[in-house]
Every structure is written in C-alpha cells, then in structure tokens.
Amino acid sequence: MGFIIKMGKEDQIPLHNFTKDDEDSIAFKLHSLEKRSYYDFTVPHRHNYFEIFFFEVGGGYHLIDFEEFEIQDGSIHFVSPGQVHVLKRAPGSYGYIVIFSREFFYKATPDNRLLFRHPLLHNRTNYPIIKPVQKHFQELVNCVTRMGQELARNSPYMEELMRLYLHEMLFRSAENLERKQQEPDLVMSFFALLETHFYEWHFVTQYADELAVSDRQLGHELSNSTGKTTLEHIAQRLMLEAMRLLQYSELSVKEIGFRLGFDDPAHFGKFFKKHRKISPGAFRSKSNE
C-alpha cells in the first residue's frame, strides 16, 4: 500500500519550526497519539527539531526520506532535523511523540557531537526504526511516562530531569541496535561538520583542515568505521538533499544546483547522473509519476 501525497505550491519544502508555549517553557514537548485521532499527512514536510514516535499499537505507514515503513506495534521511529517525512497513522494506533530541539539537548552539554553518537539520528541510517523486544520497549515507554509526569509536576528541576530522561531514552534505544561499536571522536566530529556545511563544502580538504587532520587520516578513520570514504559521505549527503528538493519542492533544477553549491548547472547535472545514473530532470519526472 503506498502513499497518496498532496503537494503544496511552495517552492521550498515546508519547514516546521519549534515554537515554545511561552518564554519560560522549555524546547521539549511530549504529545500523546490518541486512539481515535487521525494524523494530518497532507503535505510532506520537515522540522528543525527531532521527533521520536513510540507506537504502542501500530497501523498505517510512515514515509521517511523516500523509504516507506509500516507502523508496527512496539516500534520506535526517529526523525531528524531536515528529513522529509509524511505520517499516515491508522485511526486505531496510539502511542507518544517526543519532540526536542538541539538547543535543549545541548544546553548543559559542552560536547556538541553527542547526538551524533546515536546512529538513528542525523541521516546516519537507511532504517531509522527499531522494534525492541517487548520488555525493552516497555522500559522505554516507562521512561516517556516519567517525562510526562515530570512535565505535569513542573518542578524547579524539571528541565534538568527532562534532559536526563532524554539522554537515557536515546542511549537505551541505541542498545537495541546490532552495531554497538563506539565511533571515534574524529568520525563524529566529521558528521557534525558535514550536516552543517555540506551545502558549501564539497572537498575532503575543507573538512580535514577544519578538523586539523590530514585528508588521509580522516579517510582512514571513516573507512574503518563506516566502510565509506570521505568523498563518498560528502556525495551521499549532497545527493540526499538533491533528491529531497527535486521531489518535494518546486525549485528548478538550476536553482537546486545553485542551492547545493554548484556554480554551473551542468556540473550539478553530471554529479547527479554519476551517482543516480539518471539526470535530475528525469529523476523529478519519474518521482512525480
């Protein structure tokens, strides 16, 4: 079963910003997916914050960056800033959505690479979903429940406690992945830079210089940890954004190329065709069929 997607007239992909209830509130929210509510999925969109969906009872489909996933009982879906997603939730499904901003997560944390340790976030995986065994899923739901209780109490220590619960939830989620090897600091630092600068930095040297290492050392660390070269990661991130904009925006191919840092539209076309074996225009036409 596939999605029927209603596109808007915007020339850019709709971006939802985090809005706080008032000046004193925190950039963290917890919503219940009620049993009888129906999620409005009319327009593909993305956020400048993180969303984590806990489905106690599943039903329906979730499209995240060109991949369609069935919503199953006891599953957890991770959506990162910038990812394009559409949720069609069956009326009988329910659970929770945890929403938080980067600023909330890092407020008391000096290490701005910490979120990149989580392989389910920041476009780091093609399968941003886990389905823990029932015992582990319930432990994670219990953590979310404690968050809700703390929000209701509104104690003077609420923000600090919410951040502790969030850290616990993220790392207990990561424990359910098969890959448990900790990535080196250099690798996490590279991905943090890549997510910030992929629009304008297309060369390995730009990242290596910023990280104060040689091109060779950076490539060696990435290859050992991920099986891909530095250039492959840069190209993969550019291609992901190019496909998002081609399918979900009304920017012209030329405008998309310029936005992604290509001075010559022909260079963008060659780059895209090299990696997808199809031109940007043909990809867009095929996606719209």
Side-chain angles (χ1 to χ4, degrees):
M1 180 177 178
F3 281 102
I4 299 174
I5 298 174
K6 184 190 296 182
M7 293 303 300
K9 296 298 183 183
E10 297 86 352
D11 63 352
Q12 300 182 39
I13 303 168
L15 175 67
H16 294 186
N17 295 308
F18 197 105
T19 55
K20 298 202 296 182
D21 297 326
D22 53 59
E23 290 183 1
D24 297 325
S25 64
I26 60 177
F28 177 97
K29 292 183 180 180
L30 173 62
H31 294 304
S32 175
L33 289 168
E34 298 294 340
K35 294 182 182 181
R36 296 185 181 181
S37 66
Y38 197 82
Y39 194 96
D40 181 7
F41 74 108
T42 56
V43 178
H45 62 279
R46 49 184 170 185
H47 312 272
N48 68 351
Y49 49 85
F50 294 90
E51 283 190 330
I52 303 177
F53 296 81
F54 290 79
F55 293 103
E56 293 187 274
V57 172
Y61 297 85
H62 197 177
L63 182 69
I64 306 174
D65 275 338
F66 311 102
E67 292 292 329
E68 186 177 289
F69 304 100
E70 182 182 0
I71 299 173
Q72 298 181 334
D73 294 356
S75 62
I76 306 172
H77 297 205
F78 297 80
V79 180
S80 297
Q83 288 190 305
V84 180
H85 79 121
V86 187
L87 182 66
K88 183 180 181 182
R89 186 171 62 85
S93 66
Y94 64 92
Y96 302 93
I97 310 176
V98 173
I99 302 171
F100 64 97
S101 69
R102 290 187 181 94
E103 292 73 22
F104 174 79
F105 185 89
Y106 286 124
K107 187 172 181 180
T109 306
D111 186 357
N112 64 0
R113 304 163 302 179
L114 194 58
L115 275 174
F116 286 87
R117 292 183 184 175
H118 201 297
L120 287 158
L121 299 175
H122 287 293
N123 310 291
R124 299 292 307 282
T125 177
N126 292 325
Y127 199 83
I129 292 170
I130 58 172
K131 194 175 185 302
V133 297
Q134 181 58 34
K135 176 184 176 181
H136 292 165
F137 179 78
Q138 192 56 53
E139 288 174 352
L140 288 163
V141 169
N142 290 342
C143 186
V144 175
T145 301
R146 292 200 302 273
M147 290 178 178
Q149 293 169 344
E150 198 59 45
L151 283 170
R153 287 182 62 224
N154 196 25
S155 74
Y157 307 105
M158 178 186 68
E159 183 172 353
E160 289 76 11
L161 286 169
M162 297 304 292
R163 196 173 290 108
L164 286 173
Y165 288 145
L166 180 59
H167 281 244
E168 177 187 355
M169 183 194 72
L170 286 171
F171 290 110
R172 286 196 181 279
S173 297
E175 288 178 346
N176 288 274
L177 295 173
E178 292 183 4
R179 188 183 72 182
K180 296 185 175 67
Q181 182 179 355
Q182 179 64 55
E183 291 179 334
D185 287 346
L186 179 58
V187 172
M188 288 189 292
S189 295
F190 165 75
F191 282 117
L193 275 180
L194 180 63
E195 197 61 30
T196 304
H197 295 290
F198 70 90
Y199 280 101
E200 68 270 19
W201 292 2
H202 296 179
F203 300 103
V204 174
T205 302
Q206 293 170 296
Y207 293 92
D209 288 349
E210 183 70 18
L211 295 167
V213 297
S214 67
D215 294 9
R216 183 175 181 180
Q217 182 182 351
L218 178 58
H220 178 74
E221 291 277 11
L222 282 169
S223 181
N224 281 347
S225 183
T226 69
K228 294 180 181 178
T229 67
T230 312
L231 200 57
E232 285 174 332
H233 281 294
I234 295 170
Q236 180 176 298
R237 187 62 186 88
L238 280 167
M239 283 298 300
L240 175 58
E241 195 66 19
M243 291 189 296
R244 287 171 174 170
L245 292 170
L246 285 165
Q247 181 161 341
Y248 298 119
S249 82
E250 294 186 5
L251 293 170
S252 69
V253 172
K254 182 179 179 180
E255 288 171 326
I256 292 171
F258 285 144
R259 177 167 294 194
L260 293 176
F262 292 88
D263 294 332
D264 186 341
H267 291 164
F268 172 58
K270 289 178 181 178
F271 169 82
F272 193 94
K273 194 168 185 178
K274 174 184 176 182
H275 293 281
R276 290 290 300 189
K277 311 303 180 187
I278 190 174
S279 71
F283 173 84
R284 167 170 274 173
S285 297
K286 187 175 181 181
S287 299
N288 291 335
E289 289 178 355

